[in-house]
Amino acid sequence: MQLIRYTLQGNAVIIETTTGYLGLIPYADSVVRVRYAPTAAFATEPSLMVIASPDPSVEFSVHDTPDTVIVSLPKLTIQIQRATCAFTYLDSTGMLLTKEPDRGGKALIPVDVVKAVFDSDAEAYVRKDVDGVRAVRSSAQKVVDRHAFHTKLEFEWQEGEALYGLGSHEEGMLNLRGQHQYLYQQNMKVVIPVLLSTRGYGILLDSYSWMSFRDDAFGSYLWTDVDDELDFYFIYGPEFDQIVRSFRQLTGRAPMLPRWAFGYIQSKERYVSQSELLDVVREYRARALPLDCIVQDWKTWPNDLWGQKTFDPERFPDPSGMMTELHRLHARLMISIWPIMNPGGDNWREMRAAGCLLGNQATYDAFQERGRALYWQQANDGLFAHGIDAWWCDCTEPFQADWMGVFKPEPEERLRINTEEAKTYLDPEFISAYSLLHSQGIYEGQRQTGSAKRVVNLTRSGYGGQQRYSTITWSGDVSATWDTLRKQIADGLNFCAAGMPYWTTDVGAFFVKNDPKLWFWNGDYDGGVADLGYRELFVRWFQYAVFLPMLRPHGTDTPRELWRFGEPGEPFYDALVKFLHLRYRLLPYIYSLAGMVTHDDDTLLRALPFDFRADPACYNVDDQYMFGRALLVCPVTQPMYYAPESRPLTDVAKTRSVYLPQGADWYDFWTGQCYTGGQTLVVEAGLDTLPLFVRAGSIVPLGPVVSYADEAPDAPLDLRVYPGQSGSFTLYADEGDNYNYEQGQFATIRVSWDESARRLTLHARQGSYPGMPTTREFRVSVGGGLNDAPSASQTVVYDGREISLILT
């Protein structure tokens, strides 16, 4: 590819080459869109992921040298070699960010796009497997629908550079350097086509086919299967928070979740009737165990009408009454809904009559606007109208096909099986986008129905842009092993590094036992909750999930209610209750961080380079992370007490190694002891302790232990100050539900710590909302462990006006 000439067309630089056309469009001072197409007629179809338009006010310049054309934005410069059109990306000071190979790094490889055409008389074959109903249709004729391209985007990544993102996958990779990853949607794979680099840039690839990432012997590149052109965004930060903010500005902000969604959510597979479900909630209340929501998993529908969005009248005889009683108990209900419908039900007949079923004649077509509207109408009429509070959109990668057999297929075979199945029923160019469109239909439908309840959608798949539809994604149906628990940490961090704010996991894993006939049902604990080894694993998984955006156990094989793990005074039960109480004490901190996610495009679940990019020792730490900017979380990921079958372990140290990043001092959350950053410690990690540290300069608000998140909105708050450097924290509050915050009905209180003056200032409250407490009591303390007496403390009543305290 050689550069022939360039022209300026509006706010775009169009470059004619010997193999096609390049377009460079500034979207912001630090963001440029790059397109490569075979002709000057770039694709005009709107992106499913990117909703922003380029900012016409961005100033940029183009100038020539004998060997290059240089495009300069205020914070980003791109040098384009005339001989090969290879790009080199620099910051405004001229520092190298990354570059393509000198021979050129962009390719379009022609490919025929093959689609399936079904015989109109062919019947669908419906089968049931572990992951629900599956429908397949034979007699498909494969025809060439159009011509498109494989695309390839190559880089020369630099020595010491680390890469993150690309979504949540089951391999537990954190730093993606030296790795390769097949990117397609599957039960335990969620694709987000975003990379972040510790050199201070990000790449958003606007594609929806299956993709491949490589940094290995085969090269360093991103590859896509089917696209009309190569289309990507290069984003300069340099900090990860700035890159994520730009990603959200391109693809949409995340709305506020309700406050209750950050409380405890009880789930298992499954509660079979409304009486069982209500009894579980009543037991939580009787035991004074905090709870905000209970989940109703699959098979709520009548008989075999899989996916029907109505209740079985025998097992759920009074859905509206059930919801009234749940709400009286201050609990919410999340319900599982599926995109696939067993033929024969009313929902299925309506979809078929409207022409809104995909080729298998069972899965609704979320790519059709009328299909999404009809799906929401059915969900509203059959479920939401009874008072349902939240959605669990299961199986949103609807054409997985490898969950069968004794042996796990090789990665390339799994790739082939799953992508071929998806391509049979979806356009090959869009096989990864189903969950994005499905989530859009749920969000827009509920928003149009009313504004009293915020949309909550727990979904098993995701895509870039889906955050704008109030989704939380979980990691799929994983198995109960210690290795799986450890891998979950990196999976969630890369999902959130790719710009998606809300991720979680099935606490205790979905599959607990081992089924030798199925490769994926490979837990280590055939005794279930009776196995002390499983109880230990569950406690450690629960401790980890206390520091995730959503706290929710779930799975099959064995019960998941907390009292199944012991009784008061027993170690497993007491450890669970201790951390459940801590979750509720942290709600003012967590909900304030959620406010920052919505209003400032912030990130809650943070790989260490978000805050310590200058410390290369952090780059490969895959079992620690920041929860907000204050808390360093170090989950325990190996057994210390019991092996499977309740076999006691001996001579196992009750400690774990922790790396404290450079650039800060660190306080042990439990003891208050202070340590210097940049060192590795071996710390106590007994069953009731998760190693947890607080960064110096942090202010952490703690509330009381309550029974549900909205129980005491005016309760006194503890403000814990961790000295060593100056810092601040912004408390956020609103009504906890509804969308009045979009009209500015919320309040913030900036709290700052001046280290040299030992002065804490509660600045004047900004904003207000209906029902806001006019005064609030704050108990302010400096240092100390969670249960220790602080070195200095004062109590103040704050009325919204600025107040300062000197803490000596």
Side-chain angles (χ1 to χ4, degrees), residues 240-263:
F240 280 19
D241 282 305
Q242 294 169 306
I243 299 168
V244 168
R245 188 170 297 116
S246 292
F247 166 79
R248 303 246 189 93
Q249 288 167 352
L250 289 169
T251 63
R253 281 189 156 171
M256 286 296 297
L257 298 177
R259 187 160 40 232
W260 65 258
F262 299 100

Side-chain angles (χ1 to χ4, degrees), residues 393-429:
C393 288
D394 208 340
C395 200
T396 49
E397 66 305 273
F399 297 110
Q400 129 182 319
D402 65 341
W403 270 43
M404 58 190 71
V406 174
F407 299 106
K408 184 176 183 178
E410 287 299 298
E412 290 75 16
E413 180 65 5
R414 294 188 70 196
L415 165 69
R416 184 192 66 79
I417 292 170
N418 285 299
T419 57
E420 285 187 1
E421 180 78 359
K423 288 180 183 182
T424 301
Y425 303 109
L426 298 173
D427 188 311
E429 192 170 346

Side-chain angles (χ1 to χ4, degrees), residues 259 262-263 582-592 706 709:
R259 187 160 40 232
F262 299 100
L582 178 60
R583 174 71 175 202
Y584 275 81
R585 293 207 65 193
L586 283 167
L587 282 180
Y589 176 76
I590 296 170
Y591 197 62
S592 294
V706 291

Side-chain angles (χ1 to χ4, degrees), residues 162-164 172-176 198 486-491 493-494 606-610 612 615-626 632-635 656-662 678-680:
L163 298 173
Y164 307 93
M173 301 176 190
L174 183 64
N175 181 359
L176 298 171
T198 52
R486 183 183 175 98
K487 288 177 178 178
Q488 295 291 282
I489 301 170
D491 293 343
L493 294 177
N494 269 332
R606 306 164 68 83
L608 295 184
F610 268 86
F612 304 99
D615 182 2
C618 290
Y619 292 176
N620 295 304
V621 177
D622 59 3
D623 62 348
Q624 300 176 204
Y625 60 94
M626 298 298 293
L632 175 65
V633 184
C634 312
R656 71 148 284 176
S657 176
V658 168
Y659 177 69
L660 301 179
Q662 291 181 11
Q679 63 172 318
T680 298

Side-chain angles (χ1 to χ4, degrees), residues 9 47-48 91 119 186 218 377 461 465 535 542 561 589 628 660 706 779 790:
Q9 298 181 15
S47 170
L48 300 178
D91 70 10
D119 185 335
Q186 188 261 346
F218 294 95
Q377 178 186 323
S461 191
R535 292 190 183 194
F542 190 95
E561 297 81 20
Y589 176 76
L660 301 179
V706 291
R779 297 188 290 256

